[in-house]
Amino acid sequence: MVQFYSPNRRSVNRGIISVTADNLDAQGQGIARHQGKTIFIPGLLPDEQAQIQLTEEKRQFAKAKVVKRLSDSPHRVDPHCPHFKVCGGCQQQHVATELQVNTKASVLEHLIQRETGVSISAHPIIHSPEYGYRRRARLGLQYHAKQRTLLMGFRQSQTNDLVNIKHCPVMRPELEQLLRPLHQCLNSLNAVKRLGHVELVLADNGPLIVLRYLDSLKHEDKEILCTFSVQYNVAIYLLGDEKSLDPLMAGQPAPWYQVDGLKLVFSPQDFIQVNDEVNQQMVAQALAWLDLQPTDRVLDLFCGMGNFTLPIATKVQTVVGVEGVAALVASGQYNARLNELNNVNFFHENLESDIHQQPWAAQGFNKVLLDPARAGAAGVMAHIVKLAPEKVVYVSCNPTTLARDSKVLLEAGYHLASVRMLDMFPHTGHLESMALFSSGPMDIE
C-alpha cells in the first residue's frame, strides 16, 4: 500500500483562555500575549480583558476571537453604522479616532525604524473628518432569487456575500442619500438579474453614477434610469464592458474637482483620491516640502492625471509627469491646456519596465515627487539617485514598500527629513503616508 507523507498540522487549542490586550495593530486588532506567544484578536482594545478562543495557531503567533469581553476601554466608542461587524468595508468604527491615528502613526514609525534604522516621528498627522469623507464608492450588485430582490452593497468580511447597504456614514452625505432610491430604481429594471456593479462618485459639480451591466439595456430600462437621473440631479454613465463607457443622456457635464485652485476634469473611470479633504492637505504639504522655486525642474513619477503635477506647474520652470495608464495621461494633458499651463509634459510609460530607454529619462531634474501603487517604486529608485535631486517627496499607500525604497535613498546619502501619516481612510486598516528626503544638511521638521 502506497503511503504519502503528510506534514503534521499544528493543532489549535479550542479551550477558553483569559487575556488582556496591551496594544493595537494597524488593522484594529487587539494584541495580547499568552505563554510567550503573540495573539491577534479582532474587536479587542488595549487594556481590555476578555475570554478568547484561538481560531488559528502558528509557531510565532496565533489568532483568536472574543468569547466574552470582561472590561471596556475608554477608547471604545459606539459605531455609527448599523452594518458594522457585518460589512467588510470598515473594521475600526468601535475605536476612538485618536487611538486609530496614533496606532497607525506608531506602526509607521516602527516599520521605518526597523527597516532603515532611522528613528523619526510621523506627527503631526494629516487628519480627516471621522465620517462623510468618501467621495467614491463601488457597490456590488447581486440578484437574490429566493427573496426576488436585488442586493446592493459591500462584501462581508472574508466572504463574497454582499451586505445590503442602506446606510453608509463614511460616504459623503450627497452619495449616502442616494442609496435607498438608487436601490429601488435598479431593483425595478427588467435587467435586474444582469447587473454587475454600481459606482457612486461625487465631483465638485455634482454626483454621478456608473452602472455596469452584463446584457444590453432595453429602452424601458433606460427610461427608468433617465427619470432617476433627472429626479435626483445625478449624471449616469453606462458601462457595457470594461472599455465602453457611455453617458446615459446627451449633454451631461464632465465631472471635475478642484485642487490648489486648479480645475481638473476627469472621466468617471479615472482614479481620483477618495478623500478630498486629505488630498487637499496632502498636495499642500508636498508642495511645501519641495520648496518650489521658479527655476526648478520637477519630475512627478506615477503622476496619474496630474493631481500633484499641475499644482507644481504653477510654481516652477517645468514639470514632467510620467504615468502608465494612457487615459490618465490624456486627462492630465487636457487639464494642463484647460488651466493654461504650458510648462507641463506628460509621458505614457511603464515605470516597472526598463526606464533607461524612455524619453523622459534623458532629462535632468532637481526635485522629484513619486506616488506609486502598493508595489512601490523599486524600478525607478536607482534612477532617482542618479538624478541627484535636492529633495524627494515619496507618497505611499504601503508602508512596507516605502520603507524598502527608502533604503535606496538613505544608502545614497539622503536624509529622511520628515514623515507624515495620512488619515486617508478612517475606520479601516489602510495606512497612507508621505516622506521627505533631502540631500542637503539634516533639517528635520
Side-chain angles (χ1 to χ4, degrees), residues 27 165 177 212 239 284 286 403:
Q27 305 301 316
I165 295 294
Q177 66 187 12
R212 172 80 168 98
L239 184 60

Side-chain angles (χ1 to χ4, degrees), residues 112 183 257 266 300 334 361 411 421 427 429:
I112 290 175
H183 178 265
Y257 73 93
F266 63 95
D300 182 7
Y334 176 85
E411 290 169 0
M421 200 288 284
H427 312 301

Side-chain angles (χ1 to χ4, degrees), residues 11 24 38 62 72 80 119 175 228 267 326 331 340 371 398 400 425:
S11 61
L24 197 70
T38 300
D72 285 344
H80 285 207
S119 180
L175 299 181
F228 180 89
S267 163
S331 292
E340 299 180 343
D371 184 8
N398 184 349
T400 301
F425 297 96

Side-chain angles (χ1 to χ4, degrees), residues 8 16 33 44 86 99 174 203 206 267 337 364 369 382 408:
N8 293 328
I16 305 299
R33 325 284 168 176
L44 198 63
V86 181
L99 180 58
E174 298 94 326
S267 163
R337 295 190 297 270
L369 182 142
V408 179

Side-chain angles (χ1 to χ4, degrees), residues 102-229:
N102 286 333
T103 296
K104 290 181 182 180
S106 296
V107 168
L108 177 62
E109 293 164 1
H110 173 76
L111 186 58
I112 290 175
Q113 198 282 329
R114 188 187 71 189
E115 295 298 319
T116 69
V118 176
S119 180
I120 192 167
S121 172
H123 293 74
I125 293 164
I126 292 181
H127 288 278
S128 165
E130 289 186 56
Y131 290 94
Y133 67 85
R134 285 197 72 103
R135 63 175 172 180
R136 184 169 214 143
R138 176 182 286 196
L139 296 99
L141 299 174
Q142 187 178 83
Y143 186 75
H144 197 290
K146 289 185 178 180
Q147 298 180 5
R148 296 184 180 181
T149 189
L150 179 72
L151 300 180
M152 183 180 82
F154 301 115
R155 305 288 176 190
Q156 291 186 28
S157 179
Q158 299 181 338
T159 78
N160 287 322
D161 297 331
L162 286 182
V163 180
N164 203 34
I165 295 294
K166 297 180 180 178
H167 299 282
C168 184
V170 298
M171 282 188 192
R172 289 285 296 269
E174 298 94 326
L175 299 181
E176 187 190 24
Q177 66 187 12
L178 292 173
L179 290 176
R180 283 181 179 272
L182 177 61
H183 178 265
Q184 293 172 358
C185 173
L186 298 181
N187 198 45
S188 69
L189 300 181
N190 294 311
V192 63
K193 298 179 183 179
R194 299 292 293 164
L195 302 176
H197 65 257
V198 64
E199 191 159 8
L200 284 72
V201 183
L202 184 63
D204 283 9
N205 57 329
L208 63 97
I209 290 170
V210 177
L211 177 62
R212 172 80 168 98
Y213 60 90
L214 305 179
D215 293 332
S216 297
L217 296 178
K218 296 182 179 179
H219 176 73
E220 295 86 347
D221 283 350
K222 290 186 178 180
E223 285 295 312
I224 292 172
L225 292 169
C226 284
T227 299
F228 180 89
S229 174

Side-chain angles (χ1 to χ4, degrees), residues 4-53:
F4 294 93
Y5 169 73
S6 178
N8 293 328
R9 293 185 177 180
R10 186 170 296 276
S11 61
V12 176
N13 179 5
R14 297 294 181 183
I16 305 299
I17 58 177
S18 293
V19 298
T20 300
D22 57 23
N23 211 336
L24 197 70
D25 73 358
Q27 305 301 316
Q29 299 180 111
I31 301 174
R33 325 284 168 176
H34 182 72
Q35 297 181 347
K37 181 169 291 188
T38 300
I39 306 176
F40 296 95
I41 312 154
L44 198 63
L45 301 185
D47 300 324
E48 289 185 338
Q49 187 179 13
Q51 294 177 340
I52 65 170
Q53 185 176 50

Side-chain angles (χ1 to χ4, degrees), residues 34-100:
H34 182 72
Q35 297 181 347
K37 181 169 291 188
T38 300
I39 306 176
F40 296 95
I41 312 154
L44 198 63
L45 301 185
D47 300 324
E48 289 185 338
Q49 187 179 13
Q51 294 177 340
I52 65 170
Q53 185 176 50
L54 299 186
T55 57
E56 182 179 344
E57 190 168 10
K58 303 290 187 181
R59 187 178 300 276
Q60 300 295 333
F61 68 92
K63 296 181 180 180
K65 64 180 180 180
V66 174
V67 176
K68 183 178 182 181
R69 194 170 67 248
L70 304 176
S71 63
D72 285 344
S73 164
H75 296 290
R76 180 173 291 278
V77 296
D78 292 330
H80 285 207
C81 182
H83 306 292
F84 184 67
K85 291 188 178 180
V86 181
C87 175
C90 296
Q91 303 85 42
Q92 301 187 33
Q93 286 193 21
H94 65 298
V95 186
T97 299
E98 182 181 10
L99 180 58
Q100 287 186 40

Side-chain angles (χ1 to χ4, degrees), residues 352-417:
E352 296 178 356
S353 65
D354 183 8
I355 65 173
H356 302 293
Q357 303 303 316
Q358 297 176 10
W360 64 269
Q363 301 182 34
F365 305 93
N366 67 314
K367 293 174 182 176
V368 174
L369 182 142
L370 63 160
D371 184 8
R374 291 190 60 80
V380 301
M381 297 309 297
H383 188 74
I384 292 175
V385 170
K386 181 181 176 182
L387 289 171
E390 303 162 24
K391 296 179 183 295
V392 177
V393 171
Y394 191 130
V395 180
S396 170
C397 60
N398 184 349
T400 301
T401 50
L402 168 64
R404 179 200 67 195
D405 295 341
S406 295
K407 289 191 282 190
V408 179
L409 294 172
L410 296 171
E411 290 169 0
Y414 282 82
H415 307 294
L416 179 54

